[in-house]
């Protein structure tokens, strides 16, 4: 990667390069003390084996590593290190780790932790991630702690709860003739379907969620856990290299209309938005998602601010209305409707959700007191009789999957996603796109053909359903559950945004919201960013492109490697085809779009770290190279 990291990620900080460990056909990437992308003969077996320590808000500690020793031979590799985590109260947890891998397909990861003082945590121990590609819905063998063997399947649709509990081992087929057994020792493990949070994995983790948390690790009491992986079959196979052939983009079948594009507007951002109306018109969103939350002090002033913006730009409007449910529902919602009228706010739709439903209720926890959703929706319908009524969750698909709403009372369903709930490294954020088709398919399985909206979904987390608050990120780091993310200001966010829209396009959404207009979730730069203050961030061009595609007929273009290059295409009512490509990797990627541009060739507009420029494709080859996280438009 030669591009300036600041232009790509909005920060000068660069992630540590992984150390590739290999022994015969077995390979793994060693990153910050953990293993990623564990492969056998080039096939991904596990997405990760990681020793994780979480705080009381489910934030992840970044342990400080010391005494790192790595040894590699043809048929064996080993890693040894020590590490420590320091709690906010000065408490400290130290641990010793040993990793060994062998060419015969055996891998072990052993950790002994020793709290130097009483240490509070929500989780301390191993997480094992199984990939979802080619595994969703496939057979597995689960061994429980009492030795019972259960032959079952990984869930195809997203399981709202834990598909497997009381686990000691799980075995799956890597490819025909090759199987992998993962053995877990030292505690009780269970699995959750991480696709709920848009993670591209099934996660097997230590300590059942039904047990109390946070909990205390007693000072001086050692705790040992070991993960063993045993891959059998295919012993003579060797690792396969990724081909150097360009990724080919091929036309596919036509589908439904592509969704309208919205931007979320917070009351405090209205003044800045009104000061940038020419750029707003250039962006071209079809809808304003107007945020209103009485639990944050919003009242008539907030609605009047929204009214001023709605009067200045001809978009449809939806009020995202948090319901406090602190008293009489009729009085609360009719009061909001009265303030809307007095503020002169023109609305086309309103979506409502009880405030407490923004807080997740994990398995084993007590559901918070809340009026029945039937009553909330009925009161909202009476308060806003002439508007389309939406419901679902203002948090994530997780909560919508666990608390099924009475959709018969609604005109549309809505939810959000966030890719940094569990991990915030660049690879995990981009891999989260793999989970989106499973989220939309699962939503459709629950709610059928009900009109369906997603968003606002952004890299940064706007609210934390799993703890007391989002993580402050004033230093612009890559941290989970952060309320700001530096990558939103870089080219990375533009690539992620096009990739997101491409992955959900088959779901027949009526609205997709992937940004704000101003503010930390917006498309305009603030001070200290790659773009000049007030100028468009790279994500501006992605949102602008998606808005221009709204209402076009989706064409299911195919990428021969959609995890590296995603593609989204639409045909206008006049018959013109526009195709967007995005490079989801930090590397240069060659693409072949000759089936798309046809014999005549044609121009390609590219946005990369060097800015916007145009390429003239040869009618003969139709090939070009997309730099790291570049986005491109054909047509």
């Amino acid at each position: 990667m030669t591009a300036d990291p600041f232009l790509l990620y909005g920060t000068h900080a660069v992630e540590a390069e992984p150390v590739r460990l290999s022994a015969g056909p077995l390979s793994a990437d060693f990153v910050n003390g953990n293993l990623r992308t564990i492969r056998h003969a080039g096939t991904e077996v596990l997405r990760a084996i990681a020793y994780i320590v979480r705080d009381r808000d489910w934030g992840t500690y970044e342990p400080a590593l010391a005494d790192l020793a790595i040894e590699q031979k043809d048929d064996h590799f080993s890693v040894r290190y020590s590490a420590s985590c320091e709690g906010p109260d000065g408490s400290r947890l130290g641990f010793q780790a040993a990793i060994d891998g062998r060419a015969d397909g055996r891998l072990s990861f052993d950790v002994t932790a020793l709290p130097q003082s009483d240490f509070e945590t929500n989780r301390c121990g191993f997480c094992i991630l199984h990939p979802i590609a080619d595994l969703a819905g496939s057979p597995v063998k689960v061994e429980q702690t009492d030795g019972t063997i259960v032959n079952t399947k990984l869930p195809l649709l997203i399981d709202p709860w834990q598909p497997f509990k009381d686990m000691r081992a799980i075995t799956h087929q890597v490819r025909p003739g090759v199987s992998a057994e993962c053995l877990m020792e030292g505690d009780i493990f269970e699995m959750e379907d991480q696709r709920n949070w848009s993670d591209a994995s099934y996660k097997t983790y230590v300590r059942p969620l039904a047990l109390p948390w946070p909990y205390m690790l007693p000072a001086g009491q050692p705790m040992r856990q070991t993960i063993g992986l045993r891959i059998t079959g295919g012993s003579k196979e060797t690792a396969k290299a990724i081909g150097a052939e360009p990724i080919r983009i091929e036309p596919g079948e036509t589908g439904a209309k592509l969704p309208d594009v919205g931007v979320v507007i917070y009351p405090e951002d209205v003044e800045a938005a009104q000061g940038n109306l020419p750029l707003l018109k250039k962006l071209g969103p079809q809808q304003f998602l107007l945020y209103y939350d009485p639990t944050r002090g919003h009242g008539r002033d907030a609605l009047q601010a929204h009214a001023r913006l709605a009067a200045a730009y001809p978009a449809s409007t939806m009020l995202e209305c948090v319901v406090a449910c602190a008293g009489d529902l009729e009085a609360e919602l009719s009061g909001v409707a009265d303030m809307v009228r007095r503020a002169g706010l023109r609305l086309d739709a309103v979506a409502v959700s009880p405030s407490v439903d923004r807080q997740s209720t994990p398995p084993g926890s007590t559901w918070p007191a809340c009026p029945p959703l039937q009553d909330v929706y009925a009161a909202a319908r009476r308060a806003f009789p002439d508007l389309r009524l939406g419901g679902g969750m203002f948090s994530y698909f997780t909560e919508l999957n666990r608390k099924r709403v009475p959709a018969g009372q609604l005109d549309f369903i809505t939810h959000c996603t966030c890719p940094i709930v569990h991990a915030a490294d660049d690879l995990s954020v981009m891999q989260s796109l793999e989970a989106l088709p499973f989220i939309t398919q699962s939503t459709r399985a629950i709610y059928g053909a009900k009109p369906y909206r997603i968003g606002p979904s952004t890299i940064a987390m706007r609210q934390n359903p799993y703890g007391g608050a989002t993580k402050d990120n004033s230093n612009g780091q890559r941290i989970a559950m952060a309320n700001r993310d530096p990558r939103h200001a870089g080219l990375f966010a533009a690539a992620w945004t096009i990739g997101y829209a491409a992955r959900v396009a088959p779901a027949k959404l009526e609205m997709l919201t992937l940004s704000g207009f101003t503010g930390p979730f917006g498309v305009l730069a603030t001070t200290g960013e790659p773009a000049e203050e007030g100028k468009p961030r790279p994500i501006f061009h992605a949102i602008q492109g998606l808005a221009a595609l709204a209402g076009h007929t989706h064409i299911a273009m195919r990428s021969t490697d959609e995890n590296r290059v995603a593609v989204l295409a639409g045909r206008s009512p006049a018959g013109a085809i526009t195709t967007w490509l995005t490079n989801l990797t930090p590397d240069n990627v060659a693409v072949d779009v000759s089936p798309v541009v046809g014999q005549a060739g044609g121009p390609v507009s590219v946005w990369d770290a060097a800015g916007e420029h145009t390429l003239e494709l040869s009618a003969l080859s139709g090939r070009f190279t997309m730099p790291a996280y570049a986005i491109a438009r054909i047509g």
Side-chain angles (χ1 to χ4, degrees):
M1 181 181 65
T2 58
D4 184 349
F6 189 51
L7 301 175
L8 298 179
Y9 306 109
T11 174
H12 294 286
V14 179
E15 291 184 330
E17 287 289 330
V19 177
R20 176 60 56 85
L21 307 171
S22 61
L26 179 67
S27 68
D29 289 342
F30 179 73
V31 185
N32 297 329
N34 295 312
L35 297 179
R36 297 287 301 266
T37 318
I38 301 163
R39 293 189 176 99
H40 186 266
T43 302
E44 187 176 30
V45 178
L46 295 178
R47 185 136 284 185
I49 302 176
Y51 193 84
I52 301 295
V53 184
R54 297 196 186 275
D55 64 22
R56 66 179 297 113
D57 288 323
W58 293 102
T60 304
Y61 286 103
E62 289 290 340
L65 270 61
D67 307 319
L68 177 62
I70 300 176
E71 181 181 354
Q72 295 218 58
K73 297 181 179 180
D74 289 343
D75 61 351
H76 174 255
F77 61 78
S78 68
V79 179
R80 301 290 186 271
Y81 67 87
S82 58
S84 63
C85 301
E86 183 173 345
D89 58 354
S91 59
R92 187 177 295 273
L93 173 73
F95 53 91
Q96 301 288 326
I99 300 171
D100 288 282
R102 299 185 180 279
D104 62 5
R106 288 180 294 160
L107 175 69
S108 68
F109 195 157
D110 180 272
V111 171
T112 297
L114 182 66
Q116 297 173 15
S117 56
D118 288 352
F119 191 89
E120 184 185 62
T121 182
N122 276 2
R123 175 173 296 154
C124 179
F126 279 110
C127 290
I128 303 101
L129 305 184
H130 282 75
I132 58 177
D134 300 322
L135 281 187
S138 67
V140 292
K141 181 176 71 174
V142 176
E143 180 182 348
Q144 297 181 323
T145 55
D146 64 358
T148 300
I149 301 297
V150 180
N151 290 301
T152 181
K153 291 183 178 181
L154 290 166
L156 180 60
L157 297 176
I158 301 175
D159 198 318
W161 311 109
Q162 302 99 319
F164 313 131
K165 296 182 179 181
D166 193 27
M167 298 171 65
R168 182 175 181 269
I170 180 170
T171 303
H172 74 277
Q173 178 178 278
V174 175
R175 58 186 175 275
V178 180
S179 64
E181 179 192 48
C182 186
L183 178 66
M184 299 150 282
E185 298 178 293
D187 210 319
I188 299 174
F189 288 77
E190 62 188 22
M191 176 184 282
E192 67 186 9
D193 195 334
Q194 276 209 131
R195 297 174 299 172
N196 275 294
W197 296 272
S198 76
D199 296 70
S201 58
Y202 301 98
K203 180 172 71 177
T204 302
Y205 56 92
V206 76
R207 189 175 166 94
L209 283 173
L211 296 176
W213 47 266
Y215 59 98
M216 198 68 70
L217 299 177
Q221 183 172 317
M223 179 179 66
R224 182 181 180 184
Q225 295 174 21
T226 305
I227 303 301
L229 179 66
R230 185 166 63 97
I231 303 170
T232 55
S235 59
K236 296 182 180 179
E237 297 178 276
T238 57
K240 301 174 183 177
I242 296 176
E245 286 297 312
I247 294 173
R248 187 174 172 86
I249 308 302
E250 301 169 341
E253 299 297 322
T254 58
K257 301 294 184 184
L258 289 169
D260 286 348
V261 171
V263 293
V264 61
I265 302 291
Y266 294 88
E268 59 268 27
D269 295 332
V270 167
E271 183 177 352
Q274 286 187 287
N276 287 280
L277 284 178
L279 281 174
L280 179 60
K281 292 176 181 178
K282 187 177 180 181
L283 184 70
Q286 285 78 32
Q287 176 171 290
F288 290 148
L289 194 159
L290 305 173
Y291 185 71
Y292 178 81
D293 184 357
T295 70
R296 297 187 180 182
H298 294 169
R300 185 173 173 181
D301 289 348
L303 296 171
Q304 287 174 329
H306 286 321
R308 291 193 296 272
L309 184 59
Y313 180 84
S316 65
T317 53
M318 184 192 89
L319 189 69
E320 186 184 41
C321 181
V322 175
V323 185
C325 299
D328 183 81
L329 283 173
E330 297 287 341
E332 179 180 355
L333 285 163
S334 62
V336 174
D338 182 62
M339 284 192 290
V340 167
R341 287 188 289 270
R342 291 176 180 271
L345 175 56
R346 171 187 54 81
L347 291 178
D348 298 289
V350 59
V352 296
S353 180
S355 179
V356 297
D357 277 352
R358 293 179 296 177
Q359 203 67 23
S360 184
T361 303
S365 301
T366 302
W367 289 84
C370 179
L373 288 177
Q374 292 91 335
D375 296 349
V376 175
Y377 296 158
R381 181 71 75 183
R382 287 188 288 270
F384 299 96
D386 300 323
L387 301 181
R388 295 186 71 212
L389 177 63
M393 292 292 160
F394 293 168
S395 51
Y396 307 127
F397 172 77
T398 319
E399 288 67 54
L400 183 65
N401 199 19
R402 288 177 172 174
K403 187 174 184 178
R404 309 287 174 90
V405 304
Q409 295 176 261
L410 301 173
D411 296 309
F412 60 89
I413 290 290
T414 184
H415 69 80
C416 309
T417 69
C418 177
I420 60 169
V421 173
H422 294 115
D425 61 278
D426 298 335
L427 179 60
S428 292
V429 172
M430 282 304 183
Q431 285 179 334
S432 70
L433 301 176
E434 298 176 34
L436 296 176
F438 292 100
I439 287 177
T440 56
Q441 291 162 18
S442 297
T443 302
R444 285 295 184 208
I446 300 167
Y447 299 106
K450 178 70 65 176
Y452 179 17
R453 302 181 177 194
I454 292 180
S457 297
T458 56
I459 295 175
M461 177 181 272
R462 66 173 186 152
Q463 61 187 21
N464 183 2
Y466 316 110
T470 56
K471 299 292 183 182
D472 184 54
N473 194 18
S474 56
N475 293 327
Q477 299 175 298
R478 296 170 174 88
I479 58 174
M481 299 188 180
N483 52 20
R484 293 172 182 262
D485 193 288
R487 290 165 293 194
H488 188 83
L491 194 64
F492 185 97
W496 183 82
T497 298
I498 295 294
Y500 194 114
R503 289 287 196 163
V504 301
K508 303 179 182 179
L509 302 178
E510 68 171 26
M511 187 69 62
L512 178 62
T513 302
L514 296 176
S515 78
F517 177 58
T518 60
F521 306 107
V523 297
L524 302 184
T526 58
T527 58
E529 296 185 6
E532 182 183 342
E533 183 176 6
K535 300 297 184 181
R537 292 165 168 160
I539 192 176
F540 181 102
H541 307 292
I543 298 296
Q544 182 186 43
L546 298 181
L549 282 178
H552 290 200
T553 301
H554 177 227
I555 302 175
M557 296 281 187
R558 177 178 176 269
S559 166
T560 55
D561 190 343
E562 62 184 356
N563 292 329
R564 288 197 291 159
V565 174
V567 56
L568 175 69
R571 177 184 287 114
S572 73
I577 296 176
T578 302
T579 303
W580 281 88
L581 310 174
T582 177
N583 178 359
L584 303 174
T585 79
D587 304 311
N588 291 343
V589 176
V591 294
D592 178 2
V593 295
S594 54
V596 176
V597 299
Q599 295 181 350
V604 178
S605 297
V606 179
W607 289 263
D608 58 24
E612 179 183 359
H613 52 95
T614 301
L615 303 174
E616 285 292 337
L617 288 187
S618 163
L620 296 175
S621 69
R623 296 182 178 187
F624 69 103
T625 296
M626 295 188 71
Y629 302 119
I631 62 174
R633 185 189 67 223
I634 304 171

